[in-house]
Structure formats: C-alpha cells, structure tokens
Amino acid sequence: MFNKTRLLMLSAVVLAGPLMAASSTSAFADGLISIIVNDPANPYWLTEGNVAAAEAKKLGYTSNVGAHKGDTNTESNLIDTAITNKSVAIILDPANASGSVGAVKKAVAANIPVFLVNAEINQAGLAKAQLVSNNAQGAALGAQEWIKSVGDKGKYVELLGAPSDNNAATRSNGYETVLTQYPDLEKVGSDVGNWDRTQGHDKMQNLLQAHPDITGVISGNDEMALGAIAALKEAGKLKGIKVGGFDGSPDAVAAIKAGDLQYTVLQPVAVFSAKAVEQADAFLKTGKTGVDTEKQLFDCLIINKDNIAKYTAPFTLSE
C-alpha cells in the first residue's frame, strides 16, 4: 500500500538525537504545526515525532513536539497550548480512542485542523485524516510468521497492549483469527503490558510461573516482547520459547540478529507521519487533503532473519 522507495527516502529525516522541542529557530510565513506524540522514550513514538517535525520544516513550517504519555489531561493541556500558540495545524497521536475526542473537538472549535497518526478516535468527521498502520493485516502477517517459528501445536501466551488504544484489540483479534485455525495450539494465558517493556517483563514472569510449559509468546508490540525476552532469559527458558513482536523497532531488529526474537511486524510510521504533514500542508493551501477518505491504512511488513539486512534506518525496510 505504500512505496518502499519513498520509505527509504524518508529514513534520511529520522533524527538520531532526542525528541526535538522545535524544528527551527526562525519563523516561517506558513506558521506553526504542533505535533503531539505518546511517549518518546519508546523509539516508535520518537521516530513519529522526529519524522513529522522534519517534514514540517522541509515544507516551510515551524514545529514543536510534545508528549502526553497516554494521559488525556496532559493531551488536553497540549492542545490548549497549541491553540494559544496559534498553530495552523495539529498532528496528534491520540492518547485514548474515546477520551481524546474532546481534545480534538476543542482544536476543531478553534478552527485548527487535526491530523491523527498511529491511533484512531471513536468518532469520524472531526479529524481531517486518520493515518494508521493496517493493524489487522499486520497482525495476520505476524501470526502466520509466528506459526512458522513456533509450530502449529503447543501452549502459548499473549501480551496485550493498552486497552484504551484500539490497536491493541485489533492486533489481538488478528492474531486469534489465524491462531485459532490450529486446533493443537492452546492459548493458556494473556495479560496487559500496556505497550511497556518493564510491564512486559513483569507480566511474562507471572505468566511463566503459571504456565511453565509454554512454547511461544506472541506480543502486541516490540517493547513488551523485549521485556518478555528479558524475563525468559532470567528464568533460563528463552531457548525453548519463541517470541514474536510488532513495530519494527531498532531494538527488536537487534534482538532478531541476536537470535532472541523470531520476527517483528514493521509499522510504516516513517511513511504515515510524513504523509500526515503533507496532507496538513495540502489542506492549508487548498482546503483538501488530497485523499478521498479520512481513515487511511498503511500495510505492514515482516522483518525476520532472512531480510534483516534490508533494515536501513529506524522503522525502514528498503527494497
């Protein structure tokens, strides 16, 4: 669904440094684009913010990047700041599918167009665009790859993302659609790790204690998968238990190279973060985003030991 060459080109704008407070010290006539991500401690959201800021700068805007860390009150305050600063557009990774609706409405009431990235809200017609990974497609792809690694029989557990994020349920349902086709596979446990590495570690410890005979772990994202790997290593169990991830983070790729992680599902965050800014620019200039639909899905890719050499930059798989 997306152009891989374009993805490679976009990798050049992913910044290696910390999340930027602003993309430029000079004022551009085209105004300020406020970018609000979840938590830049996670490399996925760091990349999301950095790519969007770099694209804004390239198109002649100033930008700043804030983080709500999953808290809707912080998100609301950041929207207030964006309004006070007379932003011409807002790029937002919403904190909560339902809880972020009010914040988006507030921006819309201030006549500031909002472009959502990575996660959705449960109301159409507010944001000018919602650009997200095709999570159902990616989850099915990941589950199929997981079967290749783990096999079609045995017991396994699942680590789930934040319930407030629709992506968590979409991925879990996508996994289930594939894995339930194998009658000799049994999911014996699951727990919520909230996309977090530390929680993934702790929940894996508990799941392993309750189910010491599992042969696989399927995870809603890479951070939880990496936490699970750490717990399995501590227990001396990693050799017999295969783990699969989702995101395509640099740490996950390193874990694949080390033989600790079997695969990860690459989300094209470097593509849709830039495209959100491009669509904001188009809307500001023409009144249209240039895309027919509000919700736009971007297909995911598998990264495994066979194609890992093509991982050329964070969240970037080249031809």
Side-chain angles (χ1 to χ4, degrees):
M1 185 174 289
F2 59 90
N3 187 295
K4 294 181 187 175
T5 302
R6 169 70 172 151
L7 181 56
L8 179 58
M9 291 171 61
L10 285 169
S11 71
V13 303
V14 181
L15 307 178
L19 191 72
M20 304 186 315
S23 66
S24 175
T25 56
S26 63
F28 290 89
D30 287 322
L32 171 70
I33 293 180
S34 291
I35 301 160
I36 303 170
V37 303
N38 191 315
D39 185 358
N42 183 315
Y44 180 87
W45 288 311
L46 176 67
T47 298
E48 179 180 81
N50 284 346
V51 168
E55 189 69 15
K57 181 178 181 180
K58 186 178 81 173
L59 292 172
Y61 298 88
T62 55
S63 70
N64 55 41
V65 183
H68 54 64
K69 298 186 178 180
D71 181 74
T72 52
N73 289 326
T74 302
E75 178 184 55
S76 182
N77 291 336
L78 289 167
I79 293 290
D80 287 339
T81 300
I83 294 170
T84 300
N85 290 340
K86 301 186 185 304
S87 302
V88 295
I90 295 171
I91 309 296
L92 172 66
D93 188 335
N96 187 293
S98 297
S100 296
V101 170
V104 175
K105 283 183 174 178
K106 199 161 38 169
V108 171
N111 294 315
I112 302 174
V114 180
F115 298 80
L116 303 182
V117 290
N118 180 60
E120 308 163 51
I121 57 172
N122 290 332
Q123 187 168 333
L126 292 176
K128 298 302 178 186
Q130 301 193 52
L131 299 88
V132 300
S133 296
N134 190 342
N135 282 279
Q137 172 263 348
L141 202 63
Q144 290 160 5
E145 187 70 18
W146 190 86
I147 289 292
K148 292 178 185 177
S149 302
V150 178
D152 59 3
K153 61 180 66 175
K155 299 177 180 179
Y156 72 97
V157 295
E158 180 180 359
L159 291 170
L160 304 155
S164 61
D165 185 342
N166 287 348
N167 291 340
T170 300
R171 290 176 198 171
S172 183
N173 291 339
Y175 292 157
E176 185 174 5
T177 297
V178 174
L179 299 182
T180 52
Q181 296 176 29
Y182 299 90
D184 293 329
L185 269 179
E186 181 184 3
K187 182 165 77 171
V188 294
S190 63
D191 210 338
V192 174
N194 286 307
W195 309 128
D196 182 74
R197 191 179 302 201
T198 300
Q199 291 190 43
H201 170 274
D202 296 345
K203 297 301 175 67
M204 187 69 249
Q205 283 186 323
N206 296 337
L207 287 166
L208 188 60
Q209 188 172 21
H211 310 286
D213 55 345
I214 59 171
T215 58
V217 179
I218 194 163
S219 177
N221 82 335
D222 286 340
E223 287 296 290
M224 295 186 298
L226 293 166
I229 285 169
L232 292 169
K233 281 184 175 179
E234 290 166 6
K237 292 273 194 163
L238 183 59
K239 186 176 181 180
I241 300 175
K242 308 296 185 183
V243 182
F246 198 116
D247 272 349
S249 75
D251 284 355
V253 170
I256 294 170
K257 289 179 179 177
D260 295 339
L261 185 69
Q262 303 308 302
Y263 69 89
T264 182
V265 177
L266 173 70
Q267 294 196 75
V269 63
V271 168
F272 60 68
S273 297
K275 283 194 175 294
V277 179
E278 290 175 4
Q279 290 178 26
D281 177 58
F283 182 83
L284 292 168
K285 291 174 177 174
T286 70
K288 297 180 180 179
T289 64
V291 179
D292 292 336
T293 59
E294 175 184 330
K295 184 174 177 181
Q296 301 159 44
L297 299 177
F298 294 77
D299 279 352
C300 302
L301 298 169
I302 285 290
I303 301 175
N304 58 25
K305 58 183 175 57
D306 296 329
N307 66 351
I308 202 165
K310 296 180 180 179
Y311 190 84
T312 54
F315 303 94
T316 303
L317 197 65
S318 66
E319 289 283 358

